[in-house]
Amino acid sequence: MRIVVMFWLGLTAACGAEADDDNFPPPAAGEGIQLSYSAVAEPGSELWKCNVTDLASTEWLAVNRVESVQNDSVHHMDLMAVALAAPDLQPGEYDCADVYAQYPRLMDDGILIYASQQAEQHIQLPPGTAAELLPRLRVMHEIHYVNSTEETVTAFSKINAYKYPPEQVERTIWGGAVRDLDISVPAGASGHVEWTRCTMNADVDVLFMSSHTHKLAERTVIRSFNGTATGDVMYTNTDWHAPPLQDFTAAPIHVPQGAGFEFECHYKNAGTTDVHWGFTADDEMCQIALVYTPGETTRKCEVVASGVR
């Protein structure tokens, strides 16, 4: 039985001037698909919109390369398969807060296919490695944008997924986000650290690694964890808005069952109120993203401990 494998690529790549919405043509006919979504953000507003649609592909689509563009100031965008967590969610445009309130399982059971926090992003998987997407797969295209200007802004996101010859597919990918949901950054805190450890429930070979936080985070650090003690630093980020990509595709990192990662997020809260985990720009997050082979849905990094330093 073939299954959809998650193509989670919330990973940074090329970063430069504001992306051009008008100069991003779709793949040629028969060579892939494009997804496009835009929404208007009023001056001084926070926009969080979700567009539910069905992929244009009419057959299984193997993908080895993806490109995307969006506004440089988009907090994040993502593309999620919703069938498992929200089977009756119909095509249309929604406020994301309403969707997540109605379908709370989306956080854990929605299959995150693609994500970006960069104006321009280019992802290339190794030869023989691909994500496989169901025909007419129902997806939710999400844009989170904070408009701090005095002008109306059209927030947009376009994704090109390019077809890969199915006969050349040797392995598929999986992955996902590991989250610390118990965050509490005290008012006036400096050097506050939230940490989490997770271990793999089966062997994997890690291809990509990234992180995600909000604006109070000054630094994120990921270390290896052998199930007992932490090891070398594998990843560091000091830019909460544009977390860097750690690319291991040239030499994938083998992580055996029972081993995994420790990640910590360092916060400074100059405000007068405590800040907790949440979706909005005024809340906080502390999480990592992993992409690995083999593409089996049951393989994941399970949280085993968390705390505060």
Side-chain angles (χ1 to χ4, degrees):
M1 178 180 178
R2 302 178 74 182
I3 58 173
V4 176
V5 292
M6 182 161 61
F7 200 10
W8 202 102
L9 296 172
L11 309 169
T12 64
C15 182
E18 183 81 6
D20 185 355
D21 182 25
D22 297 323
N23 190 28
F24 192 72
E31 294 185 5
I33 59 174
Q34 181 179 91
L35 288 98
S36 178
Y37 179 48
S38 64
V40 174
E42 298 297 334
S45 69
E46 181 174 357
L47 177 106
W48 190 24
K49 300 291 286 186
C50 289
N51 187 51
V52 178
T53 186
D54 296 331
L55 293 184
S57 56
T58 57
E59 58 185 16
W60 279 88
L61 179 66
V63 178
N64 176 267
R65 178 168 65 97
V66 179
E67 299 175 350
S68 63
V69 296
Q70 62 193 32
N71 307 71
D72 188 45
S73 299
V74 166
H75 177 56
H76 79 268
M77 64 69 53
D78 59 55
L79 186 70
M80 179 185 295
V82 299
L84 293 179
D88 58 343
L89 185 59
Q90 296 300 305
E93 187 175 22
Y94 300 85
D95 287 326
C96 294
D98 295 338
V99 174
Y100 281 95
Q102 184 176 357
Y103 301 98
R105 290 178 51 207
L106 274 173
M107 173 60 66
D108 295 317
D109 296 340
I111 301 176
L112 199 55
I113 301 170
Y114 185 83
S116 175
Q117 294 180 95
Q118 295 292 324
E120 298 181 20
Q121 182 164 281
H122 312 274
I123 299 297
Q124 179 73 61
L125 293 175
T129 303
E132 293 182 321
L133 303 178
L134 280 165
R136 304 295 295 171
L137 179 67
R138 182 154 297 176
V139 297
M140 185 170 73
H141 196 166
E142 177 179 331
I143 299 177
H144 190 180
Y145 182 86
V146 178
N147 184 6
S148 59
T149 75
E150 297 180 356
E151 304 293 332
T152 299
V153 175
T154 299
F156 70 91
S157 166
K158 287 186 176 182
I159 307 166
N160 282 354
Y162 294 91
K163 184 177 180 180
Y164 191 70
E167 66 275 10
Q168 295 182 22
V169 177
E170 300 172 357
R171 66 194 69 84
T172 56
I173 62 174
W174 194 252
V178 185
R179 305 178 180 91
D180 181 350
L181 299 178
D182 186 23
I183 297 175
S184 181
V185 185
S190 180
H192 178 83
V193 179
E194 302 267 352
W195 64 269
T196 298
R197 292 174 179 171
C198 69
T199 57
M200 297 302 308
N201 63 1
D203 292 11
V204 298
D205 293 304
V206 176
L207 301 177
F208 298 104
M209 177 183 292
S210 188
S211 66
H212 181 79
T213 61
H214 290 180
K215 61 186 177 183
L216 297 185
E218 296 185 307
R219 185 161 62 104
T220 304
V221 179
I222 305 175
R223 296 181 177 87
S224 61
F225 177 60
N226 64 11
T228 302
T230 57
D232 295 337
V233 172
M234 307 178 68
Y235 174 97
T236 301
N237 174 39
T238 57
D239 183 354
W240 71 269
H241 180 65
L245 161 68
Q246 191 70 42
D247 185 342
F248 300 112
T249 55
I253 302 298
H254 183 72
V255 182
Q257 179 181 1
F261 311 93
E262 177 188 89
F263 57 98
E264 58 181 28
C265 299
H266 297 241
Y267 298 102
K268 180 179 180 179
N269 181 7
T272 58
T273 59
D274 297 352
V275 177
H276 304 280
W277 183 91
F279 289 109
T280 75
D282 292 327
D283 300 315
E284 262 306 333
M285 288 190 175
C286 179
Q287 62 192 53
I288 62 172
L290 305 169
V291 177
Y292 44 78
T293 60
E296 297 177 2
T297 62
T298 57
R299 300 195 185 214
K300 59 183 179 179
C301 202
E302 300 174 330
V303 173
V304 295
S306 62
V308 176
R309 295 192 177 109

